[in-house]
Amino acid sequence: MLYDRITPFFGKEPLDLMQEHAQPVKAQDGTNDTLVEVRQLRKQFGDTEVLRGIDLNVREGEVVVIVGASGSGKSTLLRCLNLLEQPTSGSVRVFGQDLTGKEPNSLKLRRSIGMVFQNFELFPHRTAIENVMEGPRFVLRQSKHTAFATAQSLLNKVGMLHRADQYPKNLSGGEKQRVAIARALALNPRIMLFDEPTSALDPELKGEVLDTMRALAVEGMTMVVVTHEMNFARRVADRVVFIDKGVIVEEGIPGDILLKPSTARLKKFLNILYWGAEE
Ligand SMILES: Nc1ncnc2c1ncn2[C@@H]1O[C@H](COP(=O)(O)OP(=O)(O)O)[C@@H](O)[C@H]1O
Ligand SMILES: [Mg+2]
């Protein structure tokens, strides 16, 4: 049972987490299996082709950070990975099975992919713990008692147990996002997708969310993260993928791609990101 293995993220020093992460995460689970396999993915909205032939593999335990300018198709790509958007063509395979397939398994497969959004999307009329219990109760059909215990340990994991009975309106942005992460984890996902999870947060609140995500990575969670937080990308990503106008222009390990970009397009993007100017 997964929940027996839930250990709190909080209370660990960032340095401990960094050192743990310095040990290769993939070596711990001893696998190099491809979890997500995207082939020639295309997505069109009307006449506009937003994704123009994306090929992407994500291995078990890998953390892939996706960067790219606004409008380049990052959210659409994430949304195609869990079928919030239906791809126009191409395939998305998870654990070797076609996500778009009609077999009874595909719903279960989609549930194995958790998602965290920029704007939290918590239920406003439910407390933090009720938000986390929703999935275990009504999707996994756990008893109220079991769902409560699950939600408690997940809130503890993200350092939010002491705020369990608060409504979202009484939580800071960083706290809301940590509850949203706990809520996504409550469905017991094998992969977590994050779409600019800290973009809506004040700078002083970003750290607690990024620490929570880093701890998840250290535990070996497979993650695909759209973010502009380059420190996070440098420290946590196994691979950085740069998307421009719906195609993958460049990808590689963070030390290479972020410090020595080989395409003019990525150079320009990084210059704007770091310096607010192209040169
Ligand atoms: N549901 C939609 N209908 C029409 N156009 C869309 C829709 N979703 C996204 N787009 C367009 O697709 C492009 C890429 O959007 P998006 O994937 O959100 O980019 P990013 O996340 O990189 O900023 C944008 O031009 C956007 O306007
Ligand atoms: Mg987006």
Side-chain angles (χ1 to χ4, degrees):
M1 179 80 176
L2 171 95
Y3 301 118
D4 296 341
R5 292 193 276 116
I6 292 174
T7 46
F9 292 151
F10 273 65
K12 287 198 177 188
E13 293 297 320
L15 195 61
D16 295 343
L17 292 169
M18 290 299 292
Q19 279 164 351
E20 283 173 39
H21 194 66
Q23 311 295 324
V25 168
K26 283 172 290 299
Q28 288 171 9
D29 55 33
T31 65
N32 239 345
D33 295 343
T34 300
L35 224 57
V36 184
E37 195 180 341
V38 178
R39 283 291 164 274
Q40 281 306 302
L41 177 66
R42 291 176 180 271
K43 178 65 187 178
Q44 237 167 295
F45 293 110
D47 290 341
T48 317
E49 194 166 39
V50 171
L51 298 178
R52 299 184 295 143
I54 300 275
D55 289 315
L56 180 71
N57 278 0
V58 183
R59 293 190 309 273
E60 183 146 39
E62 195 177 23
V63 177
V64 175
V65 163
I66 297 177
V67 300
S70 174
S72 55
K74 305 179 299 296
S75 295
T76 305
L77 172 58
L78 281 196
R79 292 167 63 81
C80 283
L81 291 187
N82 67 355
L83 289 201
L84 284 177
E85 294 289 356
Q86 192 73 34
T88 306
S89 65
S91 69
V92 179
R93 297 174 75 81
V94 180
F95 310 117
Q97 296 181 63
D98 190 351
L99 199 62
T100 56
K102 296 281 177 284
E103 64 264 33
N105 223 356
S106 60
L107 187 63
K108 200 167 155 219
L109 276 179
R110 287 170 58 189
R111 268 190 216 141
S112 67
I113 306 173
M115 181 132 174
V116 173
F117 303 89
Q118 183 175 337
N119 290 314
F120 329 122
E121 307 199 6
L122 295 175
F123 302 116
H125 53 290
R126 301 242 195 288
T127 62
I129 196 157
E130 286 167 353
N131 265 280
V132 181
M133 286 171 69
E134 199 84 356
R137 282 275 277 148
F138 301 108
V139 180
L140 302 181
R141 307 253 170 235
Q142 290 180 0
S143 71
K144 199 169 175 181
H145 180 76
T146 308
F148 185 76
T150 301
Q152 272 191 320
S153 48
L154 286 167
L155 285 177
N156 187 39
K157 191 181 181 83
V158 300
M160 284 297 292
L161 190 54
H162 64 301
R163 308 283 275 151
D165 296 326
Q166 296 295 324
Y167 285 89
K169 68 176 185 332
N170 297 325
L171 300 175
S172 73
E175 289 177 330
K176 276 189 267 209
Q177 196 58 300
R178 284 190 278 145
V179 173
I181 291 171
R183 186 182 56 175
L185 291 175
L187 283 176
N188 209 356
R190 298 279 305 273
I191 308 159
M192 285 282 283
L193 311 178
F194 294 85
D195 194 359
E196 301 204 31
T198 60
S199 297
L201 302 178
D202 292 334
E204 72 274 18
L205 299 178
K206 290 178 195 277
E208 63 195 64
V209 173
L210 294 170
D211 279 348
T212 304
M213 292 166 60
R214 185 170 57 186
L216 204 51
V218 168
E219 277 198 341
M221 178 62 83
T222 307
M223 295 165 51
V224 181
V225 183
V226 173
T227 184
H228 293 141
E229 297 296 327
M230 289 300 138
N231 279 331
F232 177 86
R234 279 218 317 271
R235 290 176 180 165
V236 183
D238 295 297
R239 190 151 49 101
V240 175
V241 173
F242 171 56
I243 295 192
D244 193 30
K245 300 191 179 79
V247 295
I248 294 180
V249 173
E250 205 172 323
E251 62 179 295
I253 61 171
D256 284 346
I257 183 169
L258 298 176
L259 298 178
K260 292 170 281 175
S262 55
T263 60
R265 283 153 93 177
L266 179 54
K267 254 179 223 165
K268 181 174 157 187
F269 172 76
L270 291 173
N271 275 329
I272 293 173
L273 200 64
Y274 288 137
W275 310 112
E278 289 185 22
E279 300 295 342

